[in-house]
Amino acid sequence: MRRLRQDWPALALAPAVALLALPVMDLPTWIALTAAGAAMGMMLFLMAAGLTLIFGLMDVLNFAHGAFITLGAYVAASVMGALASWVGADDLARNLAALAVAVLAAAAAAGAAGLVFERGIIRRVYGAHLQQILITVGGMIVAEQLILAAWGAQPVQVGKPVTLRGSFVLAGAAVEKYRLVAVALGLLVFAAMQLTLNRTRIGLLVRAGVENREMVEALGYRIRRLFIGVFVAGTALAGIGGVMWAVYQELVTAAVGADMTILVFIVVIIGGLGSVGGCFAGAVLVGLTTNYIGFLAPKLALGSNIALMVLVLLWRPRGLLPLAR
Amino acid sequence: MSDDVLLRLAGVHTHIGRYHILHGVDLAVREGRLTMLLGRNGAGKTTTLRTVMGMWRASAGLIDFAGAPISGRATPDIARLGIAYVPESMGIFGQLTVRENLLLAAGPAGLHPGRLDGVFAIFPVLREKLHQAAGTLSGGQKQMVAISRAIVEERRLIIVDEPTKGLAPAVIGQLIAAFQALKRQRTTILMVEQNFHMAQALGDDVAVMDDGRVVHTGTMADLADDDALQTRLLGLSLASHQ
Ligand SMILES: Nc1ncnc2c1ncn2[C@@H]1O[C@H](COP(=O)(O)OP(=O)(O)O)[C@@H](O)[C@H]1O
Ligand SMILES: [Mg+2]
């Protein structure tokens, strides 16, 4: 209860921004932009959730996180290509099945790459922030080159499943169908994460570890194993975010992860480092403002998210829903 | 000393970074007794406890627990031998409820109702705080949670670092009563304490540290009776904490 009293202004921020945008545009535009913002927010959440947990639990700043987004995006391109007949069928079940295969394959590929990355590199730089920055920035460059070598330098087309193309009309506004899928998946992952964190023993250990790693070890738990699990889960989520983004854009380039990294870091900082709930609130906020500003003042679009971050931090220096430490 | 020694440190050196903090600590904690580790601020008491727990690695010397060497082992493995550690900072998980704090301390079998009742018998106030976030408790109640985590599961040794630090006298009285109850159950305890009233009330054996070494060992009774020895060993640091 006390938490709710502290947290409601932060939770109300995204809805408040949406309400503020309503008077300055017509209703159909507002609906379309809000739907677009919510979908973008959910995809950002998928990409950012792992990053915030990895930082919260292990104090690791992983600037290579975007590489796992890129990997997921390319796996999506390959899977959707291989399942072209499902993607091209005018049949919702097959379309969703193709997307589900892409999501699972990308999660597996990104999670496996995450495991190799943690065991091979991150493990050696626990506790050393400067080395983490250098080695993960380097890792990002190497990963991008590996992906270019595997998939080629040309942008790759990604098939969007037939029944998820186009829009439906809601109160005179055109809302892209695919955005609903993105919102649904984002909410599903958020709910699953909350359940895992709040209702399972592993989740209890993660929450405790985010607060005080050393004490978790003093209670007899080998936190290194937990680290590995969270790192793998976090990179798998980034891969899923990459799939959703690639299918949305219908095109993948090797720069997609690096491009998203800036937004993803803004989301994580706005939400409060380590906070999954804050990450969700921050992602929705960034998604909505990006879309509203993109419509109202396209020239400001680039700087608007940085301005948003500065404003949020001026109001709440540790982010929207910071962890108590 | 006799073979009822549960924890023994012999010639333990600890470096933190490039600082040489412990210079050959010798210490024996006997089974079923409360050993009080005294010494002025900065003498190396906390470092000694952390070295036992594997949070700092001993650079030389031997640490034996129940007859087997434990130096060089990882903290979780040391804890699993049945050693509970209550750090100076208490190490409470403030975002977690009191129950969740205890649950983590209870190990894979979960909270045993009987042991939980045992905790409430010692700290009755925790019963009504069970579902409250531990971060919202008072300092004294947090310390009760920290100690409860150590006793909610069967342990062979409980290590406690300055449990009265920053607490009001009324709470200190409650903590003394709590540790007296634990002593009646013949729990083996290694405690660092600056409050000499508490130290005197609870200690069976005593070890005094200075400059990274143990400079005196004996019984608490002997030290309490010998004003000259107290002054020599503990000097101003003791008087200022009375
Ligand atoms: N993390 C650390 N880094 C550097 N020096 C430390 C650290 N922790 C403790 N020390 C030093 O080690 C000495 C012993 O500290 P400590 O064991 O905390 O003493 P006590 O608990 O007896 O007050 C002090 O001089 C302290 O400054
Ligand atoms: Mg100390």
Side-chain angles (χ1 to χ4, degrees), chain A residues 207 211 214-215 220-222, chain B residues 50 77 80 94-95 104:
Chain A
R207 283 185 292 140
E211 276 197 58
E214 198 172 56
M215 197 61 220
Y221 300 96
R222 298 191 179 101
Chain B
R50 288 177 58 87
D77 299 334
R80 284 175 188 206
Q95 305 267 71
L104 280 175

Side-chain angles (χ1 to χ4, degrees), chain A residues 130-148:
Chain A
L130 182 62
Q131 283 167 306
Q132 279 167 18
I133 293 169
L134 294 175
I135 206 158
T136 59
V137 167
M140 181 80 195
I141 295 167
V142 172
E144 222 166 78
Q145 294 306 312
L146 287 176
I147 285 168
L148 280 174

Side-chain angles (χ1 to χ4, degrees), chain A residues 39-249:
Chain A
M40 182 179 174
M42 290 304 129
M43 288 187 262
L44 282 175
F45 169 71
L46 288 172
M47 297 176 199
L51 187 68
T52 208
L53 259 189
I54 289 166
F55 179 82
L57 185 63
M58 319 176 205
D59 244 347
V60 168
L61 279 169
N62 181 13
F63 284 92
H65 195 72
F68 302 96
I69 298 174
T70 312
L71 179 60
Y74 276 96
V75 169
S78 294
V79 169
M80 297 311 248
L83 297 177
S85 63
W86 288 9
V87 173
D90 191 6
D91 172 5
L92 183 63
R94 280 202 213 170
N95 289 170
L96 287 179
L99 193 59
V101 173
V103 162
L104 291 178
L115 180 65
V116 171
F117 194 61
E118 200 281 343
R119 292 287 79 192
I121 291 174
I122 296 288
R123 183 164 67 107
R124 297 166 210 281
V125 292
Y126 277 124
H129 275 160
L130 182 62
Q131 283 167 306
Q132 279 167 18
I133 293 169
L134 294 175
I135 206 158
T136 59
V137 167
M140 181 80 195
I141 295 167
V142 172
E144 222 166 78
Q145 294 306 312
L146 287 176
I147 285 168
L148 280 174
W151 275 279
Q154 292 301 313
V156 179
Q157 302 281 333
V158 186
K160 188 182 276 175
V162 167
T163 57
L164 304 181
R165 285 177 204 159
S167 311
F168 61 91
V169 178
L170 180 79
V175 174
E176 279 180 47
K177 293 174 188 167
Y178 182 76
R179 288 183 171 149
L180 280 191
V181 180
V183 169
L185 186 67
L187 289 176
L188 197 73
V189 168
F190 180 57
M193 282 181 85
Q194 290 296 340
L195 275 178
T196 309
L197 283 173
N198 294 314
R199 296 270 183 275
T200 69
R201 193 170 177 84
I202 300 255
L204 181 59
L205 274 172
V206 171
R207 283 185 292 140
V210 167
E211 276 197 58
N212 190 339
R213 254 170 312 189
E214 198 172 56
M215 197 61 220
V216 170
E217 293 201 290
L219 290 173
Y221 300 96
R222 298 191 179 101
I223 205 159
R224 281 291 156 100
R225 291 188 190 170
L226 199 63
F227 282 4
I228 302 171
V230 168
F231 199 90
V232 168
T235 49
L237 280 176
I240 295 175
V243 173
M244 296 309 288
W245 190 251
V247 176
Y248 180 54
Q249 300 283 313

Side-chain angles (χ1 to χ4, degrees), chain B residues 12-225:
Chain B
V12 169
H13 288 251
T14 298
H15 289 75
I16 303 179
R18 54 200 178 81
Y19 302 102
H20 192 171
I21 310 286
L22 299 187
H23 301 266
V25 171
D26 300 306
L27 179 69
V29 175
R30 290 157 71 196
E31 189 114 47
R33 293 171 71 86
L34 193 151
T35 301
M36 199 54 87
L37 191 57
L38 302 174
R40 61 173 181 82
N41 271 331
K45 305 179 296 294
T46 297
T47 305
T48 301
L49 302 188
R50 288 177 58 87
T51 304
V52 171
M53 289 309 294
M55 293 168 162
W56 301 129
R57 188 170 286 248
S59 41
L62 291 175
I63 307 175
D64 284 354
F65 178 73
I70 60 168
S71 40
R73 298 186 65 174
T75 301
D77 299 334
I78 293 171
R80 284 175 188 206
L81 297 172
I83 305 182
Y85 176 54
V86 182
E88 213 168 344
S89 57
M90 302 189 273
I92 290 294
F93 305 115
Q95 305 267 71
L96 273 50
T97 65
V98 171
R99 188 175 174 281
E100 286 174 327
N101 270 276
L102 297 178
L103 189 60
L104 280 175
L111 280 173
H112 187 270
R115 293 208 63 101
L116 204 52
D117 286 339
V119 167
F120 294 146
I122 294 177
F123 299 120
V125 63
L126 292 186
R127 192 189 287 275
E128 68 213 49
K129 305 280 181 190
L130 203 53
H131 297 288
Q132 201 166 314
T136 64
L137 302 182
S138 71
Q141 290 165 347
K142 281 183 189 152
Q143 188 60 266
M144 292 176 194
V145 174
I147 295 164
S148 298
R149 281 196 310 210
I151 60 176
V152 75
E153 189 69 25
E154 187 84 48
R155 317 269 187 198
R156 300 191 64 182
L157 172 66
I158 296 177
I159 296 178
V160 193
D161 199 349
E162 291 201 45
T164 65
K165 196 174 179 182
L167 299 185
V171 183
I172 295 177
Q174 286 181 50
L175 291 184
I176 291 179
F179 281 109
Q180 271 160 349
L182 291 178
K183 284 182 61 167
R184 280 194 293 277
Q185 297 163 18
R186 316 248 356 113
T187 313
T188 310
I189 301 173
L190 171 59
M191 182 184 290
V192 168
E193 185 50 64
Q194 294 276 15
N195 179 309
F196 196 64
H197 172 60
M198 173 120 168
Q200 207 176 348
L202 293 174
D204 297 314
D205 299 320
V206 64
V208 182
M209 287 190 76
D210 194 26
D211 265 340
R213 288 183 190 83
V214 171
V215 293
H216 168 86
T217 54
T219 65
M220 191 74 217
D222 289 345
L223 180 63
D225 286 346

